[in-house]
């Protein structure tokens, strides 16, 4: 059935891929983005489609639209971007959630919140299940993002309990793929750009800290499955790849895929940088029948092709 779907943050990395899939499925898609970290280039191939429209708007201000479903992805997600203006980052998560939930309340729309594994902070439980409450510094340099997303989750659950809003909350773990910003400061884009330029690959600490990496196509599958699930499945639910890699292993793989001559360059570990990050996705597997299928090497090859084209412009 054709639906009118709002995607906030729709010109960003994840949002643009989600818009692609929704447009391909025949839905009427309204993409909202203030273009702070998003880019029109990510959605330019959609601008001529009759079932796609773009609205430049900041979600910290109310939206007045008629929609059936909402995917709330609006928020800078890389440390470089969200620490640039931490107050605005916090407002985007909190005021943005209030405005989007108000819209859902008025229209009766089902609303999906793109939360984050950062709600777990520097975890003392490994891998992280949804039942874990986290280990977060509330006053650190990353807190504007971590605590903003935690507060947004609170708002979603309170609107659900108090106003019976149909909500879906997903906690996204490290995701990568084409349309990542080359200067977003995230590890996959950092390593690929440095490798393609034959620059030293920056390793923070000793490189033993771990992350799990989910290719964007797999993640979008999870978004759509979560939104399509029965209303009683509210979440939160982890979406990510459970296979864990150290930063040294990732650097080695990127050097191999790019054919780079880059060496490794070591730097001090940033404040509050988590030592481990790995999702427990048993809930998503059981309730959604979802699990990622794209291996890291395959996903990196597709991502490297994208960055080669971007850096050659």
């Amino acid at each position: 059935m054709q639906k009118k779907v709002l995607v906030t943050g729709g010109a960003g990395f994840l949002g643009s891929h989600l818009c692609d899939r929704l447009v391909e499925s025949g839905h009427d898609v309204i993409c909202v983005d203030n273009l702070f970290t998003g880019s029109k280039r990510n959605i330019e191939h959609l601008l001529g489609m009759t079932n796609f429209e773009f609205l430049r708007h900041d979600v910290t201000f109310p939206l007045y639209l008629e929609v059936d479903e909402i995917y709330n992805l609006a928020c800078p997600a890389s440390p470089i971007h969200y620490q640039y203006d931490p107050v605005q980052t916090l407002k985007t998560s909190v005021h943005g959630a209030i405005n989007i939930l108000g819209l859902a309340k008025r229209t009766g729309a089902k609303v999906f919140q793109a939360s984050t594994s950062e709600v777990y902070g520097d975890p003392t439980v490994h891998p992280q299940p949804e039942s874990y409450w986290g280990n977060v510094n509330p006053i650190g340099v990353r807190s504007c993002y971590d605590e903003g997303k935690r507060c947004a989750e609170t708002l979603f659950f309170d609107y659900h309990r108090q106003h019976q809003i149909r909500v879906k909350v997903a906690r996204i773990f490290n995701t990568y793929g084409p349309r990542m910003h080359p200067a977003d400061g995230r590890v996959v884009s950092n390593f690929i750009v440095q490798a393609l330029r034959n620059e030293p690959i920056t390793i923070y600490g000793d490189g033993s800290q771990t992350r799990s990496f989910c290719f964007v196509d797999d993640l979008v599958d999870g978004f759509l499955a979560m939104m399509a699930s029965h209303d009683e499945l509210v979440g939160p639910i982890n979406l990510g790849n459970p296979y864990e890699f150290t930063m040294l292993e990732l650097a080695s793989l990127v050097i191999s895929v790019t054919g780079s001559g880059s060496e490794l360059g070591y730097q001090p570990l940033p404040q509050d940088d988590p030592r481990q990050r790995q999702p427990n996705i048993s809930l998503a597997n059981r309730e959604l029948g979802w699990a990622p299928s794209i291996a890291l090497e395959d996903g990196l090859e597709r991502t490297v092709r994208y960055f080669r084209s971007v850096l050659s412009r």
Side-chain angles (χ1 to χ4, degrees):
M1 182 179 70
Q2 187 184 51
K3 297 172 184 172
K4 183 168 284 188
V5 184
L6 168 64
V7 180
T8 70
F13 163 47
L14 297 181
S16 63
H17 285 279
L18 176 60
C19 286
D20 283 348
R21 295 283 287 278
L22 292 168
V23 168
E24 288 168 11
S25 298
H27 298 299
D28 283 327
V29 177
I30 303 172
C31 167
V32 167
D33 205 299
N34 68 354
L35 301 181
F36 172 60
T37 57
S39 170
K40 279 189 178 178
R41 182 173 287 165
N42 290 338
I43 55 169
E44 62 185 355
H45 59 289
L46 298 174
L47 293 175
M49 301 281 192
T50 57
N51 60 330
F52 179 84
E53 59 182 300
F54 170 68
L55 175 63
R56 186 164 184 168
H57 179 84
D58 189 322
V59 296
T60 61
F61 298 94
L63 269 168
Y64 301 99
L65 299 167
E66 301 302 321
V67 293
D68 303 306
E69 292 182 348
I70 305 167
Y71 290 84
N72 185 35
L73 276 63
C75 190
S78 77
I80 285 178
H81 291 149
Y82 66 64
Q83 291 174 18
Y84 173 78
D85 188 345
V87 172
Q88 184 62 26
T89 296
L90 196 58
K91 285 181 177 180
T92 301
S93 285
V94 178
H95 293 188
I98 291 169
N99 288 328
I100 292 305
L101 287 161
L103 176 62
K105 181 183 176 185
R106 183 181 64 79
T107 60
K110 187 189 300 185
V111 55
F112 174 99
Q113 167 66 2
S115 190
T116 172
S117 61
E118 298 295 337
V119 301
Y120 299 123
D122 189 5
T124 58
V125 174
H126 191 75
Q128 293 82 58
E130 291 85 353
S131 58
Y132 177 52
W133 290 355
N135 177 37
V136 178
N137 177 0
I139 58 170
V141 295
R142 300 168 66 103
S143 305
C144 58
Y145 184 69
D146 301 2
E147 295 288 41
K149 288 289 190 177
R150 285 165 69 94
C151 184
E153 285 197 14
T154 301
L155 284 162
F156 267 72
F157 276 84
D158 283 341
Y159 268 78
H160 172 65
R161 286 184 288 253
Q162 187 172 340
H163 300 297
Q164 292 73 56
I165 305 301
R166 295 178 297 155
V167 305
K168 305 284 182 179
V169 177
R171 291 174 176 167
I172 301 167
F173 283 69
N174 292 61
T175 305
Y176 69 101
R179 301 182 196 158
M180 294 184 80
H181 196 291
D184 67 8
R186 287 188 271 196
V187 64
V188 172
S189 48
N190 270 3
F191 282 11
I192 290 175
V193 169
Q194 289 171 336
L196 289 175
R197 291 173 172 165
N198 285 306
E199 297 172 352
I201 290 180
T202 304
I203 300 291
Y204 293 106
D206 61 6
S208 64
Q209 66 270 37
T210 65
R211 297 291 186 272
S212 54
F213 302 100
C214 185
F215 191 67
V216 62
D217 290 0
D218 281 333
L219 188 74
V220 171
D221 286 342
F223 285 4
L224 298 173
M226 183 65 172
M227 185 64 100
S229 64
H230 57 83
D231 288 349
E232 289 71 30
L233 183 62
V234 174
I237 195 163
N238 289 337
L239 295 178
N241 195 312
Y243 292 99
E244 192 178 16
F245 295 87
T246 68
M247 296 302 94
L248 291 176
E249 289 171 332
L250 177 66
S252 176
L253 192 53
V254 167
I255 288 170
S256 173
V257 169
T258 57
S260 174
S262 291
E263 302 290 334
L264 303 183
Y266 291 85
Q267 297 289 334
L269 201 63
Q271 181 185 344
D272 299 327
D273 191 54
R275 295 290 307 173
Q276 294 179 304
R277 189 57 63 70
Q278 180 190 18
N280 180 328
I281 63 166
S282 57
L283 182 61
N285 190 249
R286 182 175 69 250
E287 295 291 338
L288 305 176
W290 179 85
S293 62
I294 298 171
L296 180 58
E297 186 167 1
D298 295 337
L300 283 176
E301 288 175 354
R302 293 163 66 175
T303 309
V304 166
R305 284 198 295 272
Y306 169 77
F307 276 106
R308 284 191 195 278
S309 68
V310 168
L311 296 178
S312 66
R313 289 174 185 163

